[in-house]
Amino acid sequence: MSSLLHVNDVSVSFDGFKAINGLSFVVGTPELRAIIGPNGAGKTTMMDIITGKTRPDSGDVLWGEGGVSLLKMSESQIAQIGIGRKFQRPTVFGAQTVRDNLRLALKKDRSPLAVLRFTGTDEDEDRIIEISREIGLAEALDRSAGALSHGQKQWLEIGMLLAQDPQLLLVDEPAAGMTPQEREHTTELLNLAAESRAVVVVEHDMEFIRRLECRVTVLHEGAVLSEGTIDHVTRNQEVIDVYLGR
Amino acid sequence: MTALDTARPRRRSFLIDNPSVMIFIAALGVFTVVATVLSEGFGVGLLSTSLVKTLGKTLCLCMIAIAMDLVWGYCGILSLGHFAFFGLGGYMIGMWLMYARTETIVIESLANAPLPPTEQEIIDAIGVQIFGVVGSSDFPWIWAFADSLAIQLALVVLVPGLLALVFGWLAFRSRVTGVYLSILTQAMTLALSLYLFQNDSGLRGNNGLSGLQNLPGLDETPQSIVSIWFLWASALALALTYLFAAWLVSGKFGSVVQAIRDDEARVRFLGYPVEGFKLFVFTLTAVIAGIAGALYYPQAGIINPAELAPIASIYLAVWVAIGGRGRLYGAVIGAAVVSLLSTWFTGGRAPDIPLGFYTVQWVDWWQVLLGIGFVCVTLFAPKGLGGLVDLFVDTKRLAQRRPETSAAELASPRPQPSEN
Amino acid sequence: MSDGAFMISPRWRWFGVACSALFFVLAFTATGAAQSIGPVQAILQEHRAVLEKSSRKTVGPVIDALGDSGLERAPLVLEAWQARNLYQRTEDGLFFIGEERGGTNRLIDVDSGDDVGEITRDTAKQLRPNGGVRRVIGSALVRFQLNAPDPADREAALQAIDRNPEEVHLAALGASIDAESDPTLRSRKQRMLRLLEIRFEKDEAARVAAIESFRGDIGVDVRAALNPLVATRLEVVAGEPPVTRNVARVLAPGSAELPRDVAYSALVDAGLATARIDREAIKSALVANIVDGSVGGALVAELDTDAARDAAYAQLANDGLAPRALSEADVDQALSAHTFFLSYSERSSAVTEAAEAVLSSINLSLGAAQGADLLLDGLSLASIYFLAAIGLAITFGVMGVINMAHGEFIMMGAYTGYVVQLFVPDYTLSLIIALPLAFAVTFGAGVALERTVIRWLYHRPLETLLATFGVSIALQQLAKNIFGTQARPLTAPDWLDGAMVINDVVSISYIRIAIFVLALLFLALFLLIMKRTRLGLEVRAVTQNPKMAASMGINPDRINMLTFGFGSGIAGVAGVAIGLFAQVTSELGQQYIVQSFMTVVVGGVGNIWGALAGATMIGGLQKAIEWLNPSNTLAAQTYMILFVILFIQFRPRGMIALTGRAAEA
């Protein structure tokens, strides 16, 4: 396992409120990592910083072996070097079919002129079908994505991430609003994805994290409170205080 | 669903995938042939020359409506500036038309002079003819290439394209979206029209360019013939535009662009340079608008800065909305129906409605009707007139192949996180 | 002329007049005339010949005699004479003032004011002084008025001098200052005296002193007095400029100030050189010498370039058929043989130097004053934009709703003002009624719009934009149908007419001050409502978190409706204010809508201070650009909009931007 993402002493504040306060951690590859924390711990802001949506006030975010700084890049450049993000609220393109959604996500040249010249190859179509089987939407390929159920949309989004073939996958609360069966399937998908790449799951549902059986980083007030196995962190008195209240 | 559906689809010609394109082009062809047969110039003379010109102009308006539909209906950029590009295209071709025609007249009038005129004398005389009306006789630098049809034709494409490129680059780079962008495009249009209203703008201020219906060197050809030529040219341009636009939106490019419309931030996180796509669509549609304008104004005969006023661009949005955005034939239907109705109602030919105590004169009340009708379309029929087509086609054929999304989803894209 | 000499001469004149008057009285008494002759009539009779046949050159003595007599009725006679209202009775040659009494024109005795009979063609003859004479009389009258008992008359005299200053006024004005009792008039007289000294004083030192005394004074009258002194004209002489000329500057031909062509044509105009043969001259010479289709050895058809024409002309000149064209060397030689210089028409160099120095100091103060004026202009424009935009800032900023019909609400307010004036003729009262009424009308319209249209389109901003645009075109056409296309007047009450004049450069009209005050009032009102009332609290709550607000028992529907109504109502009030100085047409709103949007966008959305900052910037900027390019307000607007587009690049969220999470919330 080699390190893929270094977050170094990053801080950011909004109107004086320190959302992230000297946050540092490292994600390796392949790895499945869970990040937990109560509301306001800075989980979403952290993902915003990594994906380029928010610029930190200080600190650095470095990528890969070469240690390229992500802070100078735009969101699309960051996505192109191999960081995929799944939002908490499922965001698929409802006006288009599942197939179109997956085709959009396929790892291809993203520049307008290249897209203009794009004609799908048989390999591309096969890959789309393959992914659709993985996420259990093979039957629904030509249905409009807007007509899918909530859970199906979540899977489609994960499928789109898989099609994107990123080296690092940032997943925000994948299990929110899912039935137990759907959760089961989601867990499988994430574990599958983590076999060949880094997957960071942000979640505050301890039960779900426990199923993932992975290393856990606990965030609190914008900084790392504890890190280790799920059993390790749940025994930590500070973590218990934060979660249960003093 | 059968297992067959999960197999990869046969890749077919895009024309077979999009039957509406063939239907449209066939309809356009029939229309053109019928118009020609009925015209004064080439046929039985049932259609007056001015009506032929109106039809030709309407085709150009349909063309810019397609551009508007691409940029707004598909890409989600409500541009209130595309008529500025349309007008610029008109100005560019107008400069050549006016220069070349004035040159012919000047050379004729100088032919009887005791000495043959020098080149400079001819240019000076043209200058006096064209700019005398704004109290000047010198050619502004922007007329440097007015004597060359080839260069001015290139400028028809380049000037709107470059303006759109620069403006779009500035606007998209700073992530101006939604209503902000609309207002900014409106401001751009206003700035341009105010600039052109000045007498020292080099384009004859509010006099504009006139006499554009006279083609240089074709003085012998009657307008009844010229109008049919332009009708053909407009129909051809419209057909090509439709074909191109349909090809563009049916492929992956169209998929990306529609995704940008629905959730810009998400597309960005997929790794697409959203600004680049927007800029591409914005510039491309500006070029289409410019070409449409270059075909329109020789039929209109005159162009002045009022044509570029922001209101014109807003009407364009109205046409597309009434016709049904997000579908190309919707834009065409909207532009054709509303602009022809406008001409009919405001031309004083529509019958008055006597109510006993008050007589409704359409010249006065058409705008009110249009405004209210537009509000109603926005509120109750977000799919516009094009939605009617769905009633016939959707249930029969399209539904089997590609299920349409519900009207609600088309009409109300999710609010984007950045806009909240 | 020294003061002493001036003081003596009238006394002598008075003495002479008195003597002659006495003589006439005696003479008439002696001949047994029934009518006695008053002193004024005596003077008139003495100069009878001059009066009967007056000319500008000859009337001096009689005017002086009347003027110096000190008689109370002398000015009346002069006025009558000037107004062609002096008559001479045919039977005895006596002069009378004509006056209409009881429907007929009567002869009025010049001394007693008695009515002595009717004017008919037979009884009396009208004196008809020509324009020149009447001017001379006018300036003499000014002398009387300067010492008139009524201050208003004295002021009128000063104004008359200001309009048409003459050398004679100098002495008269100087003499009237000591007796002046009114301090304001006294200082005005002193100022006027110094202005007259600049023009007419013979003593150079006194003149320079008078000029120096105006250092930094930006009055128009001062500049009008000084500018002729520094006026120059281009002169050219062979050799050095003559010492009699007051030379401002020597110019080199070929410099930017004096291009070669201009220099040479000055030489030609001065008769010091022969004109060059220009293109037109060559052309006409060639045309004149065409023989059998050729001229100067060339076929006419070949002469379609300047080079060919030059060659043909040279041939013509060789043949002696045309004057030889001057070569460049000839021109250079002629130019170098002469000196070109700008000379003052004023001969005294001390005076012109002083005038130049004082004018440059004046220009400095003038620049400062113009800056202040520009600031005021910008401020008043800013308050108009602020008024127009404040409603928009509320609906766009607070509710996120873009209302394209906002401009039409402004128009509606203006028309409300117009309709009120149709029923209430008193302008002050009608304004007092119109302001709240316009608020009520547009408040109602706003609420109706919100209920019927906007409510259904929340969270679909682009569609709101389009729907309200539909409303906008319908309203505009409705207004056209009801009120017609021509502009309707909305007249400001008298007390708003005129301007507050601070000096000759800086002034601001009362309407603009009123609008400024109105803008401040609405700012205060807005802040009061938002910060101090329950409604404001609820509005802020709904803006920040509608769901939370709803869960606390606030009805967001009601709040949105009221907010939109409030924003629209302010637009109506702005309409009344704008209508007072602009033309009320159905397109009134259109002229302000884009600027209003710019104001909100530049200032920053969701914030009243943003609207204020935006309005200040847009207004100030527009005025500043207009000042740089005063001939062209259209260009100013163009550049202003370009600036805004660029500005958005650097501050996409506007000047007063909400940052961080608050902005995204």
Side-chain angles (χ1 to χ4, degrees):
Chain A
M1 187 174 98
S2 60
S3 69
L4 185 66
L5 181 77
H6 290 255
V7 175
N8 283 340
D9 196 21
V10 167
S11 295
V12 67
S13 58
F14 302 120
D15 291 335
F17 167 70
K18 284 225 164 205
I20 297 286
N21 191 6
L23 177 70
S24 299
F25 66 88
V26 178
V27 178
T29 186
E31 184 190 353
L32 181 60
R33 169 76 63 89
I35 293 186
I36 60 171
N39 280 331
K43 298 174 305 231
T44 304
T45 309
M46 174 207 76
M47 293 186 37
D48 284 349
I49 289 173
I50 296 172
T51 53
K53 192 178 174 203
T54 302
R55 303 269 169 232
D57 300 335
S58 64
D60 205 354
V61 181
L62 301 176
W63 172 254
E65 294 294 328
V68 192
S69 173
L70 294 181
L71 299 186
K72 300 252 176 342
M73 296 187 188
S74 70
E75 289 107 309
S76 57
Q77 284 168 327
I78 290 174
Q80 280 180 37
I81 63 166
I83 298 181
R85 177 174 184 178
K86 189 201 139 336
F87 288 84
Q88 186 175 336
R89 198 181 54 198
T91 47
V92 296
F93 302 109
Q96 304 187 37
T97 62
V98 172
R99 190 193 299 278
D100 286 338
N101 270 281
L102 289 172
R103 192 182 286 132
L104 272 182
L106 273 187
K107 192 175 183 178
K108 288 281 165 189
D109 191 341
R110 301 302 209 211
S111 76
L113 288 178
V115 171
L116 201 60
R117 284 195 305 266
F118 173 87
T119 46
T121 61
D122 288 349
E123 293 79 57
D124 294 336
E125 296 303 325
D126 289 344
R127 176 84 185 118
I128 288 173
I129 290 165
E130 187 188 327
I131 293 171
S132 71
R133 292 215 175 95
E134 279 175 33
I135 58 176
L137 289 175
E139 302 283 301
L141 260 184
D142 285 315
R143 278 172 63 197
S144 154
L148 299 178
S149 75
H150 179 80
Q152 284 174 317
K153 281 182 186 164
Q154 296 273 33
W155 293 333
L156 174 57
E157 209 179 348
I158 293 174
M160 286 166 74
L161 279 178
L162 294 175
Q164 222 177 320
D165 194 21
Q167 288 170 267
L168 171 65
L169 243 166
L170 299 171
V171 188
D172 200 352
E173 301 199 14
M178 281 191 171
T179 62
Q181 288 85 357
E182 286 172 341
R183 279 165 181 251
E184 192 78 33
H185 187 190
T186 307
T187 315
E188 283 167 23
L189 280 175
L190 291 176
N191 275 318
L192 184 74
E195 279 171 14
S196 56
R197 51 174 77 79
V199 177
V200 173
V201 179
V202 169
E203 190 50 86
H204 58 203
D205 181 342
M206 281 290 195
E207 269 317 297
F208 186 74
I209 301 287
R210 203 173 283 281
R211 280 169 197 254
L212 289 177
E213 294 169 355
C214 65
R215 194 173 170 81
V216 176
T217 302
V218 184
L219 288 192
H220 178 55
E221 291 180 351
V224 174
L225 188 67
S226 174
E227 196 170 293
T229 64
I230 183 78
D231 292 330
H232 170 80
V233 298
T234 46
R235 277 198 300 275
N236 185 318
Q237 188 56 43
E238 277 183 294
V239 174
I240 293 168
D241 285 347
V242 164
Y243 264 81
L244 300 177
R246 263 149 279 206
Chain B
M1 293 279 162
T2 64
L4 204 115
D5 280 344
T6 59
R8 58 173 190 252
R10 290 196 315 280
R11 278 185 284 129
R12 296 175 296 193
S13 152
F14 118 90
L15 285 179
I16 295 169
D17 265 353
N18 297 275
S20 73
V21 177
M22 294 311 290
I23 296 172
F24 175 80
I25 288 178
L28 186 62
V30 170
F31 164 81
T32 312
V33 169
V34 170
T36 307
V37 168
L38 294 180
S39 72
E40 286 175 354
F42 284 89
V44 296
L46 277 176
L47 283 181
S48 69
T49 299
S50 73
L51 193 54
V52 170
K53 282 189 177 181
T54 303
L55 292 176
K57 286 190 289 184
T58 306
L59 294 180
C60 298
L61 296 178
C62 292
M63 197 167 147
I64 188 182
I66 290 178
M68 184 68 186
D69 198 19
L70 279 180
V71 77
W72 178 33
Y74 285 91
C75 198
I77 303 167
L78 175 50
S79 163
L80 299 181
H82 268 59
F83 243 91
F85 303 129
F86 187 81
L88 280 179
Y91 263 107
M92 288 307 129
I93 197 68
M95 282 159 77
W96 175 76
L97 285 169
M98 198 156 176
Y99 183 95
R101 179 162 164 80
T102 312
E103 186 179 33
T104 323
I105 295 170
V106 162
I107 288 177
E108 266 171 30
S109 72
L110 288 180
N112 298 324
L115 290 186
T118 64
E119 212 164 299
Q120 192 56 45
E121 280 173 338
I122 292 174
I123 291 175
D124 288 347
I126 298 172
V128 170
Q129 280 288 320
I130 295 182
F131 300 107
V133 70
V134 288
S136 168
S137 61
D138 297 330
F139 272 97
W141 62 271
I142 44 174
W143 286 71
F145 305 110
D147 57 338
S148 158
L149 175 60
I151 295 180
Q152 287 301 135
L153 280 179
L155 289 179
V156 163
V157 172
L158 288 178
V159 169
L162 274 179
L163 177 64
L165 195 68
V166 171
F167 177 86
W169 184 77
L170 286 172
F172 300 136
R173 192 188 69 101
S174 53
R175 299 266 168 99
V176 179
T177 55
V179 286
Y180 275 84
L181 187 66
S182 303
I183 293 169
L184 216 55
T185 52
Q186 192 185 17
M188 175 201 77
T189 315
L190 183 67
L192 190 67
S193 78
L194 286 178
Y195 177 78
L196 289 173
F197 264 119
Q198 294 169 217
N199 275 346
D200 55 3
S201 67
L203 290 166
R204 307 197 344 143
N206 63 355
N207 306 288
L209 308 181
S210 53
L212 309 183
Q213 73 277 20
N214 303 307
L215 296 186
L218 292 172
D219 291 332
E220 304 301 311
T221 317
Q223 284 294 313
S224 56
I225 304 280
V226 173
S227 63
I228 289 292
W229 288 349
F230 268 104
L231 183 78
W232 291 344
S234 306
L236 183 66
L238 177 60
L240 290 176
T241 306
Y242 196 95
L243 204 62
F244 176 70
W247 171 76
L248 196 70
V249 299
S250 69
K252 187 177 173 191
F253 189 89
S255 184
V256 174
V257 162
Q258 289 173 66
I260 289 174
R261 172 193 68 194
D262 293 343
D263 193 339
E264 187 177 319
R266 182 74 182 89
V267 178
R268 214 171 263 135
F269 286 121
L270 276 177
Y272 288 98
V274 168
E275 285 67 39
F277 278 87
K278 283 183 168 182
L279 191 56
F280 186 91
V281 174
F282 193 69
T283 308
L284 179 77
T285 53
V287 168
I288 295 176
I291 296 172
L295 281 167
Y296 180 94
Y297 286 105
Q299 302 182 66
I302 182 166
I303 180 169
N304 61 47
E307 303 273 328
L308 277 74
I311 192 91
S313 295
I314 300 182
Y315 276 126
L316 180 60
V318 172
W319 298 341
V320 175
I322 287 182
R325 67 206 123 113
R327 57 181 83 212
L328 296 173
Y329 55 86
V332 172
I333 292 171
V337 170
V338 183
S339 74
L340 283 176
L341 276 181
S342 284
T343 312
W344 190 61
F345 276 120
T346 55
R349 262 180 262 172
D352 293 345
I353 301 177
L355 297 177
F357 58 94
Y358 183 83
T359 305
V360 175
Q361 288 176 324
W362 284 112
V363 177
D364 289 338
W365 286 93
W366 161 244
Q367 293 270 321
V368 180
L369 183 74
L370 180 65
I372 294 170
F374 182 52
V375 173
C376 292
V377 165
T378 314
L379 282 177
F380 305 117
K383 290 166 90 173
L385 293 176
L388 294 176
V389 178
D390 290 352
L391 293 181
F392 302 108
V393 182
D394 209 27
T395 47
K396 288 180 189 162
R397 195 157 46 84
L398 281 180
Q400 297 161 7
R401 200 174 56 83
R402 174 187 281 210
E404 281 291 323
T405 40
S406 68
E409 263 167 342
L410 252 186
S412 59
R414 234 174 260 112
Q416 297 163 11
S418 59
E419 267 187 6
N420 286 354
Chain C
M1 187 198 287
S2 73
D3 282 352
F6 174 72
M7 292 305 286
I8 288 167
S9 72
R11 270 188 216 150
W12 280 108
R13 276 189 204 151
W14 166 231
F15 179 73
V17 170
C19 288
S20 50
L22 193 66
F23 168 77
F24 270 92
V25 173
L26 289 175
F28 274 86
T29 316
T31 52
Q35 200 162 1
S36 65
I37 301 269
V40 177
Q41 186 69 268
I43 298 170
L44 294 175
Q45 286 304 322
E46 184 192 354
H47 297 282
R48 184 168 166 174
V50 174
L51 283 166
E52 284 167 353
K53 198 167 178 165
S54 62
S55 86
R56 195 163 55 84
K57 299 245 172 66
T58 57
V59 292
V62 61
I63 290 172
D64 283 347
L66 280 169
D68 298 341
S69 70
L71 292 167
E72 204 182 317
R73 289 185 63 85
L76 282 179
V77 172
L78 281 176
E79 274 169 25
W81 189 18
Q82 187 193 25
R84 290 185 176 158
N85 207 16
L86 200 61
Y87 291 81
Q88 187 178 31
R89 192 150 67 187
T90 325
E91 63 175 272
D92 54 9
L94 290 182
F95 295 99
F96 295 90
I97 296 172
E99 192 180 313
E100 197 187 320
R101 282 190 189 173
T104 55
N105 288 325
R106 313 295 300 181
L107 290 174
I108 306 298
D109 190 278
V110 288
D111 285 289
S112 62
D114 294 338
D115 182 352
V116 296
E118 190 181 351
I119 301 174
T120 65
R121 192 177 285 254
D122 300 331
T123 55
K125 194 181 85 187
Q126 187 187 16
L127 297 188
R128 296 177 171 275
N130 65 24
V133 172
R134 290 166 68 201
R135 264 199 301 283
V136 175
I137 302 170
S139 69
L141 273 170
V142 165
R143 279 190 279 164
F144 288 103
Q145 285 174 332
L146 277 174
N147 294 310
D150 185 354
D153 285 346
R154 302 205 293 276
E155 189 173 342
L158 281 176
Q159 280 166 1
I161 297 178
D162 189 34
R163 275 197 302 276
N164 192 12
E166 284 176 32
E167 192 165 354
V168 290
H169 296 144
L170 185 60
L173 187 62
S176 77
I177 288 175
D178 284 339
E180 180 58 60
S181 53
D182 184 318
T184 322
L185 278 178
R186 189 188 176 91
S187 73
R188 280 186 60 186
K189 279 184 173 178
Q190 280 164 341
R191 180 184 172 88
M192 183 66 75
L193 182 66
R194 284 185 291 142
L195 287 170
L196 288 177
E197 279 172 356
I198 291 178
R199 284 200 168 91
F200 303 116
E201 180 58 62
K202 297 283 185 286
D203 179 49
E204 190 176 80
R207 231 177 137 192
V208 169
I211 292 171
E212 296 282 354
S213 72
F214 282 108
R215 188 169 285 276
D217 188 321
I218 59 173
V220 173
D221 49 356
V222 177
R223 278 174 281 153
L226 288 179
N227 278 329
L229 296 184
V230 298
T232 58
R233 62 192 191 90
L234 179 67
E235 291 193 68
V236 55
V237 292
E240 290 302 305
V243 284
T244 53
R245 290 283 190 276
N246 181 3
V247 176
R249 242 179 6 266
V250 174
L251 300 177
S255 62
E257 227 177 343
L258 183 67
R260 207 160 158 273
D261 292 350
V262 177
Y264 193 80
S265 57
L267 269 185
V268 173
D269 291 345
L272 297 171
T274 51
R276 297 191 72 178
I277 310 294
D278 61 6
R279 294 260 158 255
E280 281 306 308
I282 289 178
K283 197 172 158 187
S284 49
L286 287 172
V287 171
N289 287 290
I290 294 176
V291 181
D292 294 339
S294 69
V295 60
L299 288 170
V300 168
E302 288 166 356
L303 297 178
D304 59 354
T305 62
D306 286 337
R309 289 183 183 183
D310 287 349
Y313 185 83
Q315 185 62 42
L316 275 187
N318 267 341
D319 299 346
L321 293 169
R324 188 170 298 280
L326 289 175
S327 69
E328 294 296 313
D330 296 335
V331 172
D332 284 337
Q333 199 191 350
L335 288 177
S336 60
H338 294 88
T339 310
F340 296 84
F341 61 95
L342 293 174
S343 74
Y344 295 110
S345 48
E346 170 62 46
R347 291 294 156 84
S348 161
S349 62
V351 167
T352 51
E353 272 164 33
E356 291 276 12
V358 169
L359 266 177
S360 74
S361 88
I362 286 177
N363 281 337
L364 214 66
S365 329
L366 202 61
Q370 276 166 345
D373 190 50
L374 195 67
L375 209 68
L376 280 178
D377 264 6
L379 211 59
S380 75
L381 192 64
S383 41
I384 292 165
Y385 285 160
F386 180 68
L387 264 186
I390 181 170
L392 203 67
I394 294 169
T395 51
F396 183 31
V398 175
M399 301 170 68
V401 161
I402 192 147
N403 180 13
M404 293 294 278
H406 185 79
E408 277 56 52
F409 286 160
I410 294 178
M411 167 200 81
M412 234 188 242
Y415 273 122
T416 307
Y418 164 71
V419 171
V420 169
Q421 284 197 344
L422 290 183
F423 293 100
V424 184
D426 182 286
Y427 291 144
T428 307
L429 186 64
S430 69
L431 195 62
I432 292 171
I433 298 172
L435 284 172
L437 192 65
F439 185 90
V441 167
T442 47
F443 181 91
V447 167
L449 181 62
E450 203 273 343
R451 286 288 91 180
T452 53
V453 178
I454 290 171
R455 186 155 66 115
W456 311 104
L457 298 171
Y458 282 125
H459 307 301
R460 287 154 68 183
L462 288 183
E463 264 137 90
T464 317
L465 188 156
L466 287 175
T468 50
F469 169 72
V471 174
S472 148
I473 52 178
L475 284 179
Q476 237 184 79
Q477 185 63 45
L478 268 178
K480 238 177 245 169
N481 293 354
I482 296 170
F483 296 101
T485 44
Q486 74 268 46
R488 297 290 173 180
L490 181 54
T491 317
D494 289 340
W495 51 270
L496 276 178
D497 272 347
M500 193 168 89
V501 178
I502 294 162
N503 58 36
D504 280 349
V505 177
V506 187
S507 71
I508 180 163
S509 71
Y510 287 121
I511 288 188
R512 303 216 152 201
I513 296 177
I515 286 171
F516 182 70
V517 171
L518 203 62
L520 286 184
L521 270 177
F522 269 97
L523 176 64
L525 181 71
F526 180 84
L527 290 175
L528 192 75
I529 289 180
M530 289 302 273
K531 303 261 159 131
R532 290 274 183 272
T533 65
R534 175 81 195 165
L535 176 68
L537 185 71
E538 293 187 357
V539 168
R540 279 183 291 151
V542 170
T543 309
Q544 277 159 24
N545 193 336
K547 279 186 194 141
M548 183 73 99
S551 72
M552 294 175 75
I554 298 171
N555 180 357
D557 257 16
R558 187 180 138 266
I559 293 298
N560 280 335
M561 185 181 82
L562 289 179
T563 313
F564 197 83
F566 182 59
S568 308
I570 292 182
V573 174
V576 177
I578 289 172
L580 287 178
F581 66 88
Q583 302 245 304
V584 182
T585 68
S586 61
E587 273 138 28
L588 175 76
Q590 285 300 307
Q591 296 158 14
Y592 287 90
I593 188 76
V594 175
Q595 260 86 350
S596 304
F597 278 131
M598 294 285 114
T599 298
V600 175
V601 169
V602 165
V605 167
N607 189 322
I608 190 79
W609 299 110
L612 189 64
T616 312
M617 190 168 114
I618 301 259
L621 199 72
Q622 187 163 338
K623 279 294 161 195
I625 299 173
E626 272 175 29
W627 177 70
L628 290 175
N629 184 5
S631 63
N632 213 326
T633 52
L634 286 180
Q637 289 191 38
T638 311
Y639 294 131
M640 205 266 302
I641 292 169
L642 288 183
F643 172 82
V644 168
I645 292 173
L646 286 176
F647 178 85
I648 297 288
Q649 296 302 300
F650 302 103
R651 305 237 23 185
R653 288 182 187 281
M655 291 166 81
I656 313 258
L658 302 171
T659 52
R661 289 207 153 178
E664 284 166 31

